[in-house]
Amino acid sequence: MHFTQREQQALRDAGLDQDTIEAASEAVVAATDDAAAELESFFDGRETVYSDMDIAHSSSEIQEHTVEYCDLFTHADDIRGYLRFDTWGAPVEGGRVLTDEKVELSLGPTVHGRVRFAADEDAL
């Protein structure tokens, strides 16, 4: 179940029965799976993406990246995985689709922040 014991108790205290809580939990898991699939499909087939990533020693506000792959997995409402560029990569610790042409990922070690990626520089 997606909800912790405390969250489940709070939902019961608010008047929800167990079947409703389980249905809500399943909806969260399904929405997370869908979001991960959409994020992966954004990167699939794109050789180049652009980002607002803050990169040391770069004077540009927009970065260009050659994408090798984006491999994500889910657990309850967590999206995790790895985004690999041509010469480096970063762990993914969450993300969301902003539009058809723009996504946002929370990247882990080496980046430690939220980064927007777009198919076109103008979308940033």
Side-chain angles (χ1 to χ4, degrees), residues 42-43 49-51 53 83 85 102-103 105 115-118:
F42 173 82
F43 290 99
V49 295
Y50 301 89
S51 79
M53 187 182 305
L83 177 59
F85 301 114
K102 187 168 45 176
V103 300
L105 297 179
V115 178
R116 291 180 302 153
F117 292 92

Side-chain angles (χ1 to χ4, degrees), residues 26-117:
E26 290 170 11
V28 168
V29 170
T32 303
D33 289 343
D34 291 346
E38 287 181 64
L39 290 166
E40 281 185 333
S41 71
F42 173 82
F43 290 99
D44 283 348
R46 291 191 203 274
E47 186 174 312
T48 303
V49 295
Y50 301 89
S51 79
D52 64 356
M53 187 182 305
D54 186 21
I55 295 183
H57 310 295
S58 175
S59 60
S60 177
E61 291 184 23
I62 297 177
Q63 310 303 323
E64 183 176 316
H65 308 279
T66 301
V67 177
E68 291 291 322
Y69 64 85
C70 180
D71 184 25
L72 303 175
F73 64 92
T74 64
H75 178 72
D77 68 340
D78 286 335
I79 296 174
R80 304 284 179 170
Y82 199 77
L83 177 59
R84 174 72 181 164
F85 301 114
D86 56 345
T87 59
W88 67 285
V92 175
E93 297 179 348
R96 62 188 179 136
V97 175
L98 301 173
T99 68
D100 288 343
E101 296 299 312
K102 187 168 45 176
V103 300
E104 180 181 74
L105 297 179
S106 294
L107 299 178
T110 69
V111 178
H112 295 290
R114 288 184 178 175
V115 178
R116 291 180 302 153
F117 292 92

